[in-house]
Amino acid sequence: MTLDVAPGTIVTLDGLPYRVEEHASLHEVEFRLDLVRLAGPTPAHERWLVAALPEPYLMLVQRLEQEWLGAPRTGLVHEGEQFRTLYSGAAHRVRRTRTGRTKEGRLDYVLLRADSGRVIVIIGQNDDDTAWIGETLPDGAVKLP
């Protein structure tokens, strides 16, 4: 699944309106990972929608305040759950915000999933990793324009 929504677009999630603040795509030859930053009614409601080209469902994640020594390649245990690597590699990133579009260098990415459907997304460059944690969403959970 791919997710192509422009910054400024309003999407509905669990009955709450969220505004798209940023859209980033990581591209590889046969892989695409879309990250869409959503701003909710308050700053505490910031969430990210994630779509991976081979996956049929969207994922909803929020920042995971975790200091990573490096992105794991095979899996990890977090809060007692085993997360296994679904996709990993390096890809170019293109970011779109309300102020414009930028192309960035190659970033490392890892998408991990637990048997419960929880997901962890880690994106990093030069030992600076950012992680998000969340859930795989059922069909129809997000209303897109």
Side-chain angles (χ1 to χ4, degrees):
M1 168 177 273
T2 60
L3 188 58
D4 195 16
V5 290
T9 303
I10 302 295
V11 299
T12 304
L13 177 63
D14 288 336
L16 292 174
Y18 286 83
R19 186 178 62 252
V20 174
E21 292 293 320
E22 173 184 338
H23 178 276
S25 289
L26 280 78
H27 298 273
E28 234 184 297
V29 174
E30 294 183 12
F31 181 78
R32 176 175 163 170
L33 182 71
D34 292 319
L35 292 146
V36 175
R37 183 167 56 99
L38 303 174
T42 69
H45 286 94
E46 180 181 276
R47 299 291 185 267
W48 294 74
L49 281 176
V50 178
L53 183 58
E55 295 295 310
Y57 301 105
L58 290 173
M59 294 158 262
L60 180 68
V61 297
Q62 62 188 27
R63 278 280 168 97
L64 176 62
E65 299 301 327
Q66 181 72 40
E67 295 295 326
W68 300 98
L69 297 175
R73 292 293 174 196
T74 57
L76 62 89
V77 175
H78 180 73
E79 295 179 349
E81 272 191 291
Q82 174 70 43
F83 288 82
R84 291 175 189 81
T85 301
L86 219 55
Y87 306 101
S88 68
H92 292 280
R93 178 165 70 175
V94 176
R95 291 178 62 194
R96 290 186 303 168
T97 61
R98 289 184 182 201
T99 59
R101 180 177 181 251
T102 59
K103 286 181 107 176
E104 300 177 10
R106 288 180 69 80
L107 300 171
D108 295 322
Y109 66 87
V110 178
L111 175 59
L112 304 110
R113 181 178 287 144
D115 290 340
S116 67
R118 292 181 71 199
V119 293
I120 293 179
V121 179
I122 304 168
I123 297 177
Q125 184 176 31
N126 299 330
D127 296 329
D128 183 23
D129 293 328
T130 305
W132 296 267
I133 189 165
E135 305 283 337
T136 302
L137 296 173
D139 274 340
V142 178
K143 292 187 182 11
L144 299 167

